[in-house]
Amino acid sequence: AAWTGDTEVVRVEVSTDGGATFNNATLQAESVPHAWRFWTFRWHTPAAPGPVTLLARATDARGRTQPLERNQSHGTYIIDHMLPVECEAQ
């Protein structure tokens, strides 16, 4: 799920290669301001076993896309950057 505080989520993209490339996810239901937006992404796991880093990023109706890294000036109050998910392909 993706959320934005003051507008709507209009796009979600997923990276299966640690952020080198991104592909569009499928948004679910209608967009509603100030509400969570569910999404899905069909991923085919790699043929070779090993570590995989997944990332998702959302873009809101104002064109703002989640940054890759944390904005240090936000302190610990706001966490709006992408958070990697480490997986092990079998």
Side-chain angles (χ1 to χ4, degrees):
W3 178 79
T4 180
D6 59 351
T7 185
E8 305 171 47
V9 173
V10 296
R11 183 174 65 220
V12 173
E13 299 165 286
V14 177
S15 172
T16 61
D17 57 13
T21 62
F22 283 85
N23 293 291
N24 288 326
T26 302
L27 298 174
Q28 304 298 305
E30 292 298 317
S31 180
V32 177
H34 316 292
W36 287 96
R37 186 82 187 261
F38 292 99
W39 54 272
T40 59
F41 183 79
R42 183 172 290 280
W43 175 47
H44 298 282
T45 56
V52 179
T53 301
L54 305 175
L55 290 164
R57 67 181 178 194
T59 300
D60 70 15
R62 293 183 182 176
R64 298 176 294 191
T65 300
Q66 284 180 278
L68 177 59
E69 297 186 10
R70 184 172 166 262
N71 183 338
Q72 297 295 328
S73 68
H74 290 165
T76 58
Y77 179 69
I78 297 174
I79 298 175
D80 63 355
H81 61 285
M82 291 182 273
L83 298 173
V85 175
E86 304 293 334
C87 301
E88 186 71 27
Q90 300 287 323

